[in-house]
Amino acid sequence: MRKFGSDESGIALILVAILLPAIIGFSLLVIDMSRASNLHFDLQRGTDSLALAAAAELDGTTGSWARAERAMATLVDNDARFATSGTVTLRGGQPGGDKTCNTAGNLSWCFLASIPSSDSSAITSSNYALNEQSTGFVEVKVAPQGFAAIFPVSFLTGNSANNGFNVAASAVAGFRSGVCDYTPIFICNPYERPAEVGGITLEQAANTRQYRRRQILIRKGSSYVPGNFAFLASPFGNGANALEAMLAKVKPPGCYSRNGVNTEPGQNTGPVEDGLNARFGISKSYIGTADGPAANVRMGLKSVNCNNGKVTFETDPNKGVGLEKDSCHIAGNCTMMDRRMGAGDWNLTRYWAVNHPTRPLPAALSGTGDNLPTRYEVYRYELDPDGDPATNDSIVGDTAVSGETGIPACNQTPVTTVDRRILYGAIIDCDQIPGFNGRKENVPVRAFASFFITEPIKDSKDIYAELVDITGRGGRGTLDNFLRDEAQLYR
């Protein structure tokens, strides 16, 4: 008996028999955790991709909600495995894009104007977007999926009726859009009040010649409202000199986000005028510098003193005043956009006869009524009549009745790497901004745009321009090289 009591042979089998339930249980738990983790990973990965696909469509234009829904329904294909029901396909739908929050398939989503600064703070209805223009984010959730555990979870929880749990996933993505190499200017959206402009939207205007031809006062001699003179804060710093430098630069170093820009009260005269007029070659500070004039500066110039920059302009349209104003700007009785926008009825026939007296009006510019060419189209035709940059057929040197040509004065070499008569800026829905006066920060941008400067700043200190194009889906694609678009996960 003493020998048998001290014998240790076979004790491992006893220990294994005792520990075997724990080993099996632990193994099952590891398997369950791996399966649950894979299910959650698949659900989260799919939800992330759905949110990113939807966010990429949120460019603030009409129809962006419907496009976001279409993207989730048709552009993304993700499955999740190990759910109780087997393989789960994450599937949405296209319920119409007319509700802030909606559901389809096994997805639900809400369009958001903002998200809490802390990830630990829940998203509430106060974050919901009121319309497509204010939407910057989308929250996507997948319906919870059941998971059946092998390990007896019910033994631990005491719930014998359910040996599993639900696994869910959600994601928040946003769309950031910005531009670089832009000048620090803004304009209140000319088409923000449809009743004043014939029911035309900004996107329609950008794609229709008769509306692009409408001459716009980017800045009147007076401000939009007290303290806002149509300028944005400059990366060069605040103040008139910084704005002057940005307006004069061939390639301004400014980058601006559609999510928010800062307005800059700026100045109404002086340095700002010098900066913009450098593009016409009539600013003393920039004569002979690298920030020179455009290749076509026809503007009704009568004389310029290249030493002191003193300028006089022709006032008789029958001699040549450059690209003429719309009739209501001449008469001073415009009614659209708080008296800032004309009807696009400029006198092309007189302009051509006076500035190109030896040439008949070409067929390419012979449209009338709604098909009357824009000033920008005429300006580009003068630079390159046949549209082939390889041929040297410019008619910029034609002499007007007044004796003016479109060649820059003061023996300046024109800038040809960029179009110096194009000004780039932001379009803002000013009516949506309470107390829009003085310096404002993080002002949302409806779209970024390019404008053709129809004439230099003169005594009235006004800046006249035509809309050329806008960024985003509503535009014609000429500004794509300036855009920096990015869909980004936030949660």
Side-chain angles (χ1 to χ4, degrees):
M1 293 296 294
R2 189 180 300 112
K3 182 178 180 181
F4 177 78
S6 60
D7 190 355
E8 296 181 354
S9 300
I11 194 170
L13 182 61
I14 299 174
L15 295 176
V16 167
I18 295 173
L19 294 175
L20 188 58
I23 294 173
I24 294 174
F26 183 76
S27 299
L28 293 176
L29 186 61
V30 169
I31 293 172
D32 279 345
M33 290 304 295
S34 177
R35 292 169 60 238
S37 178
N38 282 336
L39 173 59
H40 181 264
F41 175 78
D42 286 349
L43 291 174
Q44 188 63 58
R45 181 183 59 181
T47 308
D48 289 349
S49 62
L50 287 160
L52 286 170
E57 305 297 330
L58 302 179
D59 58 359
T61 62
T62 302
S64 59
W65 286 2
R67 292 196 305 272
E69 292 176 357
R70 188 180 309 120
M72 289 191 288
T74 63
L75 298 183
V76 183
D77 184 12
N78 283 290
D79 294 333
R81 300 180 185 276
F82 301 112
T84 303
S85 58
T87 300
V88 178
T89 298
L90 276 62
R91 193 178 306 281
Q94 302 180 54
D98 56 354
K99 293 182 180 179
T100 302
C101 294
N102 218 326
T103 61
N106 52 16
L107 301 180
S108 62
W109 59 87
C110 288
F111 296 109
L112 312 175
S114 63
I115 56 175
S117 57
S118 172
D119 287 350
S120 61
S121 300
I123 291 174
T124 66
S125 58
S126 64
N127 299 114
Y128 292 170
L130 298 177
N131 50 48
E132 292 169 314
Q133 286 70 38
S134 65
T135 304
F137 308 89
V138 62
E139 180 184 35
V140 180
K141 296 180 179 180
V142 62
Q145 301 299 314
F147 175 79
I150 302 173
F151 185 85
V153 178
S154 57
F155 174 76
L156 298 177
T157 62
N159 183 5
S160 60
N162 185 7
N163 195 45
F165 48 88
N166 288 330
V167 179
S170 66
V172 176
F175 181 77
R176 295 183 61 87
S177 178
V179 292
C180 287
D181 302 335
Y182 254 57
T183 41
I185 67 166
F186 77 85
I187 179 174
C188 288
N189 182 2
Y191 298 92
E192 186 176 5
R193 304 171 190 172
E196 295 182 10
V197 293
I200 304 303
T201 66
L202 177 62
E203 291 74 25
Q204 289 174 314
N207 284 279
T208 309
R209 172 192 269 181
Q210 71 179 99
Y211 304 125
R212 293 200 308 273
R213 194 174 58 243
R214 290 174 171 177
Q215 193 178 37
I216 302 170
L217 266 166
I218 288 183
R219 186 196 68 176
K220 295 175 66 174
S222 58
S223 59
Y224 274 105
V225 291
N228 266 322
F229 294 92
F231 297 120
L232 300 177
S234 166
F236 281 2
N238 297 325
N241 292 333
L243 287 171
E244 173 192 349
M246 287 289 284
L247 287 170
K249 283 289 182 183
V250 168
K251 191 174 183 180
C255 290
Y256 301 93
S257 170
R258 181 176 169 270
N259 297 66
V261 294
N262 300 333
T263 65
E264 168 59 42
Q267 300 291 325
N268 207 24
T269 59
V272 171
E273 177 181 350
D274 291 338
L276 189 139
N277 283 355
R279 298 164 179 262
F280 290 85
I282 55 173
S283 176
K284 177 188 175 183
S285 301
Y286 297 93
I287 291 177
T289 71
D291 296 316
N296 182 1
V297 295
R298 195 177 295 270
M299 59 184 133
L301 183 66
K302 202 169 185 178
S303 66
V304 57
N305 187 317
C306 298
N307 294 318
N308 59 22
K310 186 175 181 180
V311 178
T312 58
F313 295 100
E314 181 59 64
T315 58
D316 185 351
N318 293 308
K319 293 182 179 179
V321 295
L323 295 161
E324 299 187 25
K325 294 182 174 70
D326 284 352
S327 61
C328 71
H329 285 308
I330 296 173
N333 60 358
C334 296
T335 58
M336 291 188 288
M337 192 197 169
D338 292 337
R339 306 176 70 84
R340 289 176 179 267
M341 186 161 67
D345 56 350
W346 72 293
N347 196 328
L348 168 61
T349 303
R350 179 167 59 189
Y351 169 83
W352 193 268
V354 171
N355 289 280
H356 303 282
T358 64
R359 302 177 189 271
L361 185 65
L365 302 177
S366 60
T368 59
D370 290 348
N371 290 320
L372 179 70
T374 67
R375 297 168 183 82
Y376 183 59
E377 289 171 329
V378 174
Y379 157 82
R380 293 301 311 177
Y381 182 91
E382 291 173 326
L383 284 167
D384 188 9
D386 67 358
D388 183 358
T391 60
N392 185 16
D393 56 348
S394 170
I395 58 173
V396 170
D398 284 2
T399 303
V401 172
S402 65
E404 182 199 25
T405 71
I407 299 172
C410 303
N411 297 317
Q412 297 175 88
T413 301
V415 174
T416 57
T417 54
V418 298
D419 194 335
R420 292 283 277 160
R421 293 280 293 270
I422 293 291
L423 199 62
Y424 301 97
I427 295 179
I428 294 173
D429 285 332
C430 298
D431 289 350
Q432 306 301 314
I433 305 170
F436 188 52
N437 55 62
R439 183 177 284 107
K440 288 291 182 180
E441 297 184 353
N442 296 318
V443 177
V445 175
R446 172 66 181 276
F448 292 99
S450 54
F451 304 94
F452 171 63
I453 313 170
T454 60
E455 62 180 55
I457 296 179
K458 300 179 181 178
D459 293 339
S460 64
K461 312 305 178 186
D462 299 336
I463 302 177
Y464 287 92
E466 285 180 341
L467 176 67
V468 177
D469 200 2
I470 62 173
T471 55
R473 295 179 184 276
R476 295 179 294 125
T478 64
L479 298 176
D480 289 352
N481 288 338
F482 293 90
L483 275 175
R484 306 291 188 272
D485 288 346
E486 181 182 56
Q488 174 180 326
L489 280 174
Y490 288 85
R491 292 189 174 190

